Amino acid sequence: MNVSLKSQPDISIDEKLRIRKELQDITNRIHAAQNIKQILVDLKDGILNLFNAHSVTIYVVDKARHEIFSMFLAGTQLKEIRLPISNKSIAGFVANMGLAVNIADTYDKTELKNIDPELSFDYSWDKKTGYKTRQILAAPIYNNNELLGVIQILNRKFGVGKFTEDEMGLALEISAVLGVAFFNQQRFTRRRKTRFDYLITRDMLKEEELENAWEESREQKESVEHFLMRKYKISKSDLGHAFEEFYRCRFIEFNDKTVIPGDLIKNLKKDYLRRELWVPLQKIDGYIHVLVDDPNNVLKRDVIENLLKTKQVKYDVALADDIIKFINMFFNSPEDIHSFTELLGRLDDEDKSLDDEDSDMVNESDSVIMQLVNKIVNDAFGRRASDIHIEPNVGKKNVEIRFRVDGDCSLYQTVPFSYRAAIISRIKIMSNLDITVKRLPQDGKIKFRRAGGDEIELRVATIPTQGGVEDVVMRILAKGETMPLEDMSLLPRNYKEMISIISKPYGLILCVGPTGSGKTTTLHAALHHINRPDRKIWTAEDPVEITQYGLRQVQVQAKIGFDFAAAMRSFLRADPDVIMVGEMRDYETAKTGIEASLTGHLVFSTLHTNSAPETVVRLLDMGIDPLNFADALLGILAQRLVRTLCSSCKELYHPTKDEYSEIVQSFGEKEFEKLNIPYNDNFKLYRPKGCDLCDKTGYKGRMGIHELLVATEEIKRMVQKHASVEAMREQAMKEEMTTLLQDGIIKAIKGYTDFVQVRRVCIK
């Protein structure tokens, strides 16, 4: 261990002896370490004493992930930092190229590019901590030409420029010591290889405790995993990491939203799977993923592949209890007498030949088909779905059933392709459609009564698709309760102005936005606020989704000529005070509505437009008289629905300067200044994390974002002059209107949602 100190003649003999003594001392401590965690965390200070530097990080190679990792203490918690072995980071470059580097200034991009064009330094930690990284000395850790890690030393305490040649030599010598130690640790690990090694190497569990756990768990007739979780407080997540490292596969936790793989398990028996502790989970890219308690059990794997009749199998690991929960869920349903899998099995048992021309004659009264469709509808309602999509796939030879929940589609189940005609024909019969018509779209409705007595209505659309098949989309029109206007997530200015305009005795109020943006819910909230015995309120809707006591509600029937315009004409002869018409689809309905508002009635309606100012131009383009429209208009509320962050798991974080700048630019720099929200350490946002309550998505529920244009005198003059959308928006913003995007950003800053969801539903 000869370290040259010739380049620093001012170092005294005593200093050289101190370095030599400390080097020997830390070498002994490294070789005496019980595990790698002790070297990475507990011995760093001893290594740092050898250098006049501020910080040292020691990384270990993870070959399976092609990464290097280190560990550090954050308070009392042990945390990991991981980097890919690539030329995009300094430590990753050292590991990838096997070269030591000595950098004078990490902020000098030219110096980094001279080492490698891809090389960069991540400044985010510096921004977060206020600590500025300058010099970096990093060397690879080798043993017998095998890369085992990287040592990285940061910031000289004295002097400027690079670390000295002597310090470089010292780093290489320490790396050689660490190489021997890592090799011995890995050899020791290989000798005692168990699926719990991850816990031991990270000091979550001692070897003696693990040995005792094997015996005590057997005595108590308990699995060793449960024993470790109960007695030593090992988390399920940490057990999962241990299993993934040992078995080199995915660790799967039980999730009751998992799609039942009906086509994979229809020929398997529940009792057998429970006894053998395995179950098929899904098919991805031609491979069947099977959940098993021990992926290394070769005999079990042979049996599985024989039963599934394929070698294209990938194995995932789970705790035995979770495997049993999956099996129980796949074969039993708490919501219904029969599970999805059992229904498919019964169809197979009855040997229905549904994939030929006779498949159209599906015996729609067949109890199994009826139960299957009923279960789809019941499950959709139970999961708060707004739409059910049934999609036969000719190429994949299956039928995918998807639910739209909170605005996003997700897969519910897959059904064998041979059942497509049976399911679609059953739905057609329920909605009074012609089952012989397959090449034309059809529309219908289903009145569906659930087991508990609740009645729901479904709007059904069938559409012919490529391959000679039909898609079905069913929108669930559940009888909803009226939401109070206070619960509509209106900002204070919007709420105050909305109360003001709906309290007027006459005029026109419009709520605009795309289909499914909550327009009807908002209008009913407004009607609820003014619904008093001294007011006669008529509504024409298609369909009537929300009912209120005190409202006289009418369902329009376009097929018999009773459309919105006809309904409005009837209402005007029925002594109304307030009229709500579901949609101004055409000139006649819009003209009648404006005339009604000018003759002493308060009129509410909806339009499909993108923003409040665009609505004015749309109606004028229809041919509406600008003078009458300007006199009638009270206000236009544009709205969207955004997904809200799960309140149980949303995570507070400090965004980067780039994120802040993007928010400011989207909001408008001048307008954002009025909010007085500077970028500093106190600026925090929330982001999704994911938990069991939100199905690991990080989002649960939706809320409205709004843009309320109030018809002031200036806005009325602009309507009369047929002003442009841009001019009208500019004037409305001068009068304190917030755009949809601005409203969404304010709610993201308040922590209700995030900027990603806001950008998904609206543009500037």
Side-chain angles (χ1 to χ4, degrees), residues 454-498:
D454 298 333
E455 185 179 282
I456 58 177
E457 188 173 334
L458 296 101
R459 187 189 300 161
V460 180
T462 69
I463 302 172
T465 48
Q466 186 274 332
V469 296
E470 289 179 281
D471 278 29
V472 175
V473 179
M474 295 184 280
R475 166 152 287 191
I476 298 176
L477 308 171
K479 301 293 183 184
E481 295 293 325
T482 306
M483 284 181 68
L485 203 57
E486 300 81 36
D487 295 344
M488 298 299 295
S489 308
L490 291 161
L491 293 180
R493 178 262 178 190
N494 290 344
Y495 178 74
K496 178 184 173 184
E497 295 288 358
M498 192 69 179

Side-chain angles (χ1 to χ4, degrees), residues 246-305:
F246 181 73
Y247 292 114
R248 302 296 182 198
C249 65
R250 296 188 304 172
F251 174 76
I252 306 293
E253 291 189 51
F254 175 72
N255 184 341
D256 61 4
K257 302 296 190 301
T258 301
V259 176
I260 298 173
D263 53 335
L264 298 179
I265 63 175
K266 62 185 180 182
N267 296 321
L268 300 172
K269 300 298 181 185
K270 174 183 173 183
D271 291 341
Y272 168 78
L273 294 175
R274 281 173 58 95
R275 185 175 68 250
E276 296 299 322
L277 288 176
W278 67 271
V279 66
L281 199 62
Q282 57 192 157
K283 194 168 187 176
I284 305 175
D285 297 331
Y287 283 88
I288 298 174
H289 282 253
V290 172
L291 204 57
V292 66
D293 64 327
D294 181 8
N296 290 348
N297 189 326
V298 178
L299 294 176
K300 186 178 285 191
R301 288 169 60 153
D302 286 342
V303 172
I304 291 170
E305 288 162 19

Side-chain angles (χ1 to χ4, degrees), residues 110-295:
T110 303
E111 182 180 6
L112 298 182
K113 298 302 178 189
N114 286 338
I115 296 172
D116 187 274
E118 287 188 68
L119 195 60
S120 63
F121 177 69
D122 183 0
Y123 306 108
S124 60
W125 184 257
D126 283 10
K127 289 179 182 177
K128 186 175 181 180
T129 62
Y131 176 88
K132 197 161 188 179
T133 304
R134 283 297 187 190
Q135 302 93 357
I136 291 184
L137 172 61
I141 298 171
Y142 275 101
N143 184 270
N144 293 331
N145 295 321
E146 180 185 4
L147 179 72
L148 299 177
V150 172
I151 181 169
Q152 181 172 271
I153 301 148
L154 309 180
N155 284 14
R156 303 180 67 201
K157 285 185 179 178
F158 309 107
V160 294
K162 298 181 178 181
F163 284 88
T164 67
E165 290 182 16
D166 298 318
E167 288 163 335
M168 171 65 88
L170 191 58
L172 292 173
E173 189 150 358
I174 285 292
S175 72
V177 173
L178 290 169
V180 174
F182 285 178
F183 176 76
N184 289 334
Q185 287 288 343
Q186 289 182 0
R187 187 172 60 178
F188 174 65
T189 301
R190 281 194 291 268
R191 194 165 56 246
R192 58 168 174 77
K193 196 81 169 172
T194 75
R195 62 183 182 274
F196 303 111
D197 288 354
Y198 176 93
L199 307 176
I200 293 170
T201 57
R202 282 152 183 79
D203 210 25
M204 300 177 194
L205 193 67
K206 292 183 172 56
E207 286 204 62
E208 313 85 70
E209 292 172 335
L210 179 59
E211 290 300 327
N212 294 335
W214 291 113
E215 295 179 14
E216 291 184 48
S217 62
R218 275 196 299 269
E219 290 172 4
Q220 298 181 23
K221 296 182 179 178
E222 184 179 12
S223 72
V224 67
E225 291 84 4
H226 275 272
F227 184 84
L228 292 174
M229 287 192 287
R230 179 174 57 80
K231 184 167 182 178
Y232 297 109
K233 308 304 179 189
I234 303 296
S235 71
K236 195 172 187 178
S237 174
D238 286 331
L239 277 175
H241 288 311
F243 284 14
E244 284 180 336
E245 185 176 88
F246 181 73
Y247 292 114
R248 302 296 182 198
C249 65
R250 296 188 304 172
F251 174 76
I252 306 293
E253 291 189 51
F254 175 72
N255 184 341
D256 61 4
K257 302 296 190 301
T258 301
V259 176
I260 298 173
D263 53 335
L264 298 179
I265 63 175
K266 62 185 180 182
N267 296 321
L268 300 172
K269 300 298 181 185
K270 174 183 173 183
D271 291 341
Y272 168 78
L273 294 175
R274 281 173 58 95
R275 185 175 68 250
E276 296 299 322
L277 288 176
W278 67 271
V279 66
L281 199 62
Q282 57 192 157
K283 194 168 187 176
I284 305 175
D285 297 331
Y287 283 88
I288 298 174
H289 282 253
V290 172
L291 204 57
V292 66
D293 64 327
D294 181 8

Side-chain angles (χ1 to χ4, degrees), residues 514-531:
T515 302
S517 60
K519 300 185 296 295
T520 303
T521 303
T522 299
L523 289 185
H524 269 279
L527 292 175
H528 180 71
H529 190 82
I530 61 174
N531 184 8

Side-chain angles (χ1 to χ4, degrees), residues 649-669:
C649 67
K650 65 181 180 180
E651 185 176 55
L652 193 67
Y653 78 105
H654 178 57
T656 64
K657 182 70 174 175
D658 289 342
E659 287 181 79
Y660 177 83
S661 299
E662 187 181 1
I663 289 172
V664 172
Q665 187 178 4
S666 299
F667 195 93
E669 292 185 17

Side-chain angles (χ1 to χ4, degrees), residues 278-554:
W278 67 271
V279 66
L281 199 62
Q282 57 192 157
K283 194 168 187 176
I284 305 175
D285 297 331
Y287 283 88
I288 298 174
H289 282 253
V290 172
L291 204 57
V292 66
D293 64 327
D294 181 8
N296 290 348
N297 189 326
V298 178
L299 294 176
K300 186 178 285 191
R301 288 169 60 153
D302 286 342
V303 172
I304 291 170
E305 288 162 19
N306 285 332
L307 285 173
L308 297 178
K309 298 176 182 176
T310 179
K311 295 288 183 182
Q312 301 288 92
V313 179
K314 289 188 177 180
Y315 295 91
D316 301 318
V317 66
L319 297 181
D321 281 359
D322 280 359
I323 295 174
I324 290 172
K325 286 179 184 177
F326 274 116
I327 295 168
N328 289 341
M329 185 183 79
F330 290 170
F331 286 87
N332 291 301
S333 172
E335 299 167 358
D336 211 340
I337 299 172
H338 301 290
S339 76
F340 207 90
T341 311
E342 288 172 333
L343 291 172
L344 292 180
R346 285 174 56 190
L347 283 173
D348 281 345
D349 292 342
E350 293 172 16
D351 195 24
K352 292 193 177 294
S353 200
L354 301 175
D355 203 22
D356 53 25
E357 292 186 0
D358 292 336
S359 63
D360 298 338
M361 303 177 61
V362 295
N363 295 328
E364 289 81 13
S365 60
D366 182 87
S367 62
V368 182
I369 289 295
M370 292 170 65
Q371 289 172 30
L372 197 63
V373 173
N374 290 352
K375 178 162 181 59
I376 291 169
V377 175
N378 277 318
D379 285 0
F381 185 82
R383 295 189 185 186
R384 303 180 297 108
S386 60
D387 299 88
I388 304 167
H389 297 255
I390 297 175
E391 304 165 337
N393 294 303
V394 177
K396 288 190 174 181
K397 287 294 178 183
N398 67 5
V399 180
E400 287 188 351
I401 302 168
R402 297 196 290 164
F403 293 164
R404 186 181 294 279
V405 180
D406 291 339
D408 277 19
C409 275
S410 61
L411 186 64
Y412 160 64
Q413 300 294 352
T414 57
V415 176
F417 190 69
S418 56
Y419 304 146
R420 72 196 183 285
I423 293 171
I424 290 169
S425 293
R426 172 62 191 163
I427 293 169
K428 282 183 176 181
I429 285 177
M430 292 170 72
S431 48
N432 294 317
L433 301 179
D434 189 341
I435 65 170
T436 64
V437 175
K438 295 184 175 182
R439 294 186 293 174
L440 291 173
Q442 296 186 73
D443 297 318
K445 290 181 181 177
I446 298 174
K447 295 277 189 181
F448 188 88
R449 187 174 297 278
R450 302 182 74 230
D454 298 333
E455 185 179 282
I456 58 177
E457 188 173 334
L458 296 101
R459 187 189 300 161
V460 180
T462 69
I463 302 172
T465 48
Q466 186 274 332
V469 296
E470 289 179 281
D471 278 29
V472 175
V473 179
M474 295 184 280
R475 166 152 287 191
I476 298 176
L477 308 171
K479 301 293 183 184
E481 295 293 325
T482 306
M483 284 181 68
L485 203 57
E486 300 81 36
D487 295 344
M488 298 299 295
S489 308
L490 291 161
L491 293 180
R493 178 262 178 190
N494 290 344
Y495 178 74
K496 178 184 173 184
E497 295 288 358
M498 192 69 179
I499 293 294
S500 173
I501 62 176
I502 66 175
S503 301
K504 299 285 174 68
Y506 57 85
L508 176 66
I509 299 167
L510 298 173
C511 188
V512 303
T515 302
S517 60
K519 300 185 296 295
T520 303
T521 303
T522 299
L523 289 185
H524 269 279
L527 292 175
H528 180 71
H529 190 82
I530 61 174
N531 184 8
R532 298 191 303 270
D534 61 344
R535 286 192 167 183
K536 176 75 171 194
I537 303 175
W538 284 100
T539 76
E541 302 170 68
D542 183 24
V544 177
E545 295 182 59
I546 301 171
T547 56
Q548 283 192 61
Y549 179 78
L551 269 59
R552 307 313 301 158
Q553 296 177 258
V554 173

